[in-house]
Structure formats: structure tokens, C-alpha cells
Amino acid sequence: MDGVELLIATAVLAAGTFAFRFAGPVLRTRVRLSPRAQRLMALSAVVLLAALVATSALMDGHAFAGAARPAGVLVGGVLAWRKAPFVAVVVAAAATAALLRLAGVP
């Protein structure tokens, strides 16, 4: 792909992204969802986020990431659930994974 094709592809993707983001507020008053559909949409966002976290925490490419990474994510998740400051969550999660790897845990 040369430079012109890359610019065209970027412009098309940018226009599509803008159209999707613009359509939400514009169509919100015209499209009515049932309460059940609204609950399913909210639940699907949570499920999608949980799947992303699980995949990122457990997999490294196509292989298992080892125990250190999921342990760090678990520590970070518990601290976030307990409403710890964001910096403390990130530092504790990274430190847990780093210390476990330093100890020889993959």
C-alpha cells in the first residue's frame, strides 16, 4: 500500500467513524428501544469489556500468558473494586506481575 492509498483509507475510516458517532445523537430522538433492549445493550457492554480484560490478561498471542499477568490483573481489579486511587491500582498490578516474574513465575 503506497502513501496515497493509505491516506484514502485513513480518510474513509475517519469519515465512517464520524458518521457513526454523529448518528447516535441524531437518531436518539427518532429510535426508541424497549426497556429490555436498553438493559441488554448495557449488559452487552459489560460482557464485551469483561471478555476484553480476560483475553488481555490470560493470552499472549495464541498462548497462555502465564500466571504473573493474571495475578497482576486480579490485584488491580480488587484495588479498583475497593476504590483505590488509579495510580495505586496501576502500580500495584504492575509490581505484582513484575515481582512474580522476578521470582520465576512465568
Side-chain angles (χ1 to χ4, degrees), residues 58-66:
L58 298 174
M59 303 301 291
D60 187 13
H62 293 287
F64 178 62

Side-chain angles (χ1 to χ4, degrees), residues 15-60:
T17 301
F18 177 76
F20 272 113
R21 293 193 59 111
F22 184 73
V26 169
L27 295 177
R28 184 168 183 92
T29 58
R30 295 183 184 169
V31 176
R32 294 282 179 221
L33 295 176
S34 68
R36 183 171 186 251
Q38 289 178 356
R39 282 192 313 272
L40 286 175
M41 294 289 277
L43 183 61
S44 66
V46 172
V47 169
L48 183 62
L49 182 60
L52 177 65
V53 168
T55 303
S56 297
L58 298 174
M59 303 301 291
D60 187 13

Side-chain angles (χ1 to χ4, degrees), residues 42-105:
L43 183 61
S44 66
V46 172
V47 169
L48 183 62
L49 182 60
L52 177 65
V53 168
T55 303
S56 297
L58 298 174
M59 303 301 291
D60 187 13
H62 293 287
F64 178 62
R69 187 186 301 174
V73 171
L74 179 64
V75 167
V78 168
L79 289 175
W81 175 59
R82 302 286 297 171
K83 304 219 187 301
F86 180 72
V87 173
V89 170
V90 172
V91 169
T96 299
L99 290 173
L100 286 172
R101 288 187 178 141
L102 185 65
V105 177

